[in-house]
């Protein structure tokens, strides 16, 4: 009897062991299937040569990000990048060298992206970068920084290359097709204008007085005679601040030595403070009733400028944030926005003086 129970117990233990082994094998098989599925999904959504996303994956991401932009009103921008004269590379060095160039370029672009950004090989030598939570100004600055980085790279056999980039921010109610067309049109304009440069998409609405453009391969804040108020001092100082801002942006983007960048910052801050003081005296003399409120805006902008400069030196503010402050907050919203409220008082003062 004891022998019988012992035999049953052994068979039961053996069955449990076999069941456990079968379960472990099933789990391993299931994990292998999941891994295979993930790998197949990765292969189906990435470019085989460069490892960048393919159009299928890009279409999915764009749909999700456009829905998110619509729901939360977050900015969303797109870069379309094309290698200049890539056909000549293939013709002169062969397609293998061209492929190596594409692989290295894609790796460099990926290393420059944030976690939320994505890189897609759109076709041939054309790539697309999707930048969530990024407005036009910051996207243009990033594109220029990327262009300069690529220009300075060594691509072994090919040595150096240049790229042209078109930038567009998604507009409210805009379709993906229309958005991409605007970015692609900006890329075409960069090519037609001499290549090796960044162009912002046409038909982009700007704040009153338009703020940003890319000229001579550098992001700039563009002055227009339409911004003038007719007062010699105000107009002269406004132009000087535009120039100071462009000099600073150029120094940063062209990677000038730190002491030169600091000198540009000092000049800009000094001229900004002096302008605010001069302008406050001028509008008070003109009888502008909101002179005190305008002076308060000046103080707020001065404080923000000082804090931003400190953060920039500490490495906690990037050039995109600096550009946005100069182009949008100071140039577009204040000089070309709030300042225009007192223009009629200056005009009236001038008329009285001419009598």
């Amino acid at each position: 009897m004891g022998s019988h129970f012992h035999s049953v117990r052994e068979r039961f233990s053996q069955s449990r062991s076999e069941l456990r082994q079968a379960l472990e094998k099933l789990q391993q098989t299931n994990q292998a299937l999941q891994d295979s599925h993930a790998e197949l999904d990765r292969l189906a959504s990435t470019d085989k040569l460069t490892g960048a996303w393919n159009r299928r994956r890009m279409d999915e991401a764009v749909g999700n990000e456009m829905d998110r932009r619509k729901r939360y009103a977050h900015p969303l921008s797109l870069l379309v990048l094309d290698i200049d004269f890539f056909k000549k590379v293939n013709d002169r060095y062969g397609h293998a060298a061209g492929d190596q160039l594409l692989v290295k370029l894609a790796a460099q672009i990926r290393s420059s992206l944030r976690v939320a950004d994505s890189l897609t090989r759109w076709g041939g030598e054309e790539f697309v970068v999707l930048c969530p939570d990024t407005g036009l100004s910051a996207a243009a600055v990033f594109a220029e920084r990327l262009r300069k980085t690529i220009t300075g790279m060594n691509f072994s056999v090919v040595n150096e290359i240049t790229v042209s980039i078109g930038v567009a921010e998604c507009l409210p109610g805009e379709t993906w097709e229309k958005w991409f067309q605007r970015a692609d049109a900006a890329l075409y304009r960069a090519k037609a204008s001499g290549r090796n440069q960044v162009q912002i998409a046409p038909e982009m609405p700007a704040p009153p007085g338009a703020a940003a453009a890319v000229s001579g391969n550098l992001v700039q804040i563009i002055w227009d005679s339409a911004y003038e108020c007719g007062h010699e001092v105000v107009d002269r100082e406004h132009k000087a601040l535009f120039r100071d801002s462009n000099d600073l942006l150029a120094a940063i983007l062209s990677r000038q030595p730190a002491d030169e960048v600091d000198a540009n910052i000092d000049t800009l801050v000094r001229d900004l403070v002096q302008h605010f003081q001069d302008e406050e005296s001028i509008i008070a003399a003109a009888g502008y009733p909101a002179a005190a409120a305008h002076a308060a805006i000046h103080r707020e902008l001065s404080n923000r400028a000082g804090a931003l400069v400190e953060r920039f030196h500490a490495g906690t503010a990037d050039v995109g944030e600096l550009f946005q402050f100069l182009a949008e907050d100071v140039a577009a919203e204040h000089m070309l926005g709030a300042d225009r409220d007192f223009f009629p008082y200056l005009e009236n003062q001038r008329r009285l003086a001419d009598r």
Side-chain angles (χ1 to χ4, degrees):
M1 189 72 171
S3 174
H4 173 73
F5 280 120
H6 179 72
S7 176
V8 169
R9 192 162 48 246
E10 283 185 344
R11 288 199 300 272
F12 180 71
S13 297
Q14 183 178 0
S15 297
R16 287 183 60 187
S17 176
E18 291 174 350
L19 181 61
R20 186 165 52 249
Q21 291 175 2
L23 182 60
E24 290 175 354
K25 186 174 182 180
L26 180 62
Q27 290 174 337
Q28 292 172 358
T29 302
N30 185 54
Q31 184 61 51
L33 287 172
Q34 291 180 3
D35 292 343
S36 296
H37 179 75
E39 179 63 12
L40 287 172
D41 186 63
R42 186 190 68 80
L43 292 173
S45 61
T46 57
D47 174 61
K48 183 178 179 180
L49 176 65
T50 64
W53 285 358
N54 59 21
R55 289 196 184 192
R56 170 181 171 272
R57 181 69 182 88
M58 176 69 172
D59 287 341
E60 294 175 358
V62 164
N64 293 334
E65 290 298 339
M66 290 184 73
D67 287 343
R68 182 169 169 269
R69 191 212 68 79
K70 182 178 180 180
R71 186 178 302 113
Y72 301 108
H74 290 176
L76 178 62
S77 293
L78 184 74
L79 277 61
V80 182
L81 177 151
D82 189 86
I83 302 173
D84 297 326
F85 303 113
F86 184 71
K87 184 178 183 300
K88 292 183 178 180
V89 173
N90 282 334
D91 291 344
R92 181 174 180 180
Y93 300 103
H95 288 277
D99 286 350
Q100 291 176 10
L101 187 156
L102 291 171
V103 171
K104 186 170 182 178
L105 176 64
Q108 177 59 51
I109 296 174
R110 270 196 302 270
S111 70
S112 303
L113 302 182
R114 304 168 304 170
V115 174
D117 300 333
S118 60
L119 173 67
T120 297
R121 186 183 179 193
W122 197 249
E125 68 275 23
E126 188 170 89
F127 292 86
V128 172
V129 178
L130 185 65
C131 301
D133 299 312
T134 305
L136 183 65
S137 299
V141 170
F142 167 63
E144 172 59 21
R145 189 164 57 226
L146 185 62
R147 183 197 67 80
K148 290 187 69 66
T149 297
I150 293 170
T151 301
M153 290 178 63
N154 186 295
F155 288 87
S156 61
V157 175
V158 182
N159 197 10
E160 294 183 353
I161 65 166
T162 62
V163 295
S164 299
I165 306 176
V167 184
E169 181 179 353
C170 185
L171 302 178
E174 189 172 37
T175 64
W176 159 235
E177 291 75 17
K178 179 62 177 177
W179 179 26
F180 181 84
Q181 286 173 7
R182 289 193 302 107
D184 200 43
L187 170 63
Y188 179 82
R189 189 150 50 94
K191 292 282 191 182
S193 300
R195 296 179 171 82
N196 189 25
Q197 60 186 272
V198 175
Q199 288 284 346
I200 293 174
E203 303 174 13
M204 170 58 67
V214 177
S215 176
N217 294 337
L218 289 175
V219 180
Q220 293 187 339
I221 306 170
I222 305 301
W223 176 265
D224 189 281
S225 60
Y227 308 157
E228 296 177 357
C229 68
H231 192 285
E232 181 182 358
V233 174
V234 173
D235 288 339
R236 183 180 67 247
E237 292 182 351
H238 277 181
K239 291 177 185 178
L241 289 172
F242 270 59
R243 183 182 63 250
D244 291 346
S245 298
N246 287 330
D247 289 345
L248 174 58
L249 291 169
I252 295 171
L253 291 171
S254 59
R255 299 178 181 175
Q256 295 298 312
D259 57 342
E260 293 189 22
V261 174
D262 289 343
N264 286 118
I265 290 176
D266 291 342
T267 298
L268 175 59
V269 172
R270 183 191 66 236
D271 289 351
L272 184 66
V273 171
Q274 184 62 54
H275 167 66
F276 285 165
Q277 293 174 353
D278 293 343
E279 189 174 85
E280 288 166 21
S281 298
I282 291 169
I283 62 177
Y288 181 48
H294 202 81
I297 296 175
H298 286 170
R299 288 193 297 274
E300 190 265 341
L301 286 173
S302 296
N303 291 336
R304 288 178 58 195
L308 184 57
V309 168
E310 289 183 3
R311 290 179 52 229
F312 181 78
H313 284 313
T316 58
D318 61 18
V319 68
E321 190 173 353
L322 184 63
F323 178 82
Q324 185 171 4
F325 175 74
L326 295 173
E328 298 182 9
D329 299 345
V330 176
E333 292 185 11
H334 184 68
M335 288 196 291
L336 306 180
D339 278 5
R340 302 184 79 85
D341 292 340
F342 64 70
F343 283 7
Y345 292 87
L346 299 184
E347 175 64 23
N348 184 58
Q349 184 186 47
R350 188 165 56 250
R351 288 176 180 173
L352 292 175
D354 290 340
R355 287 181 180 178

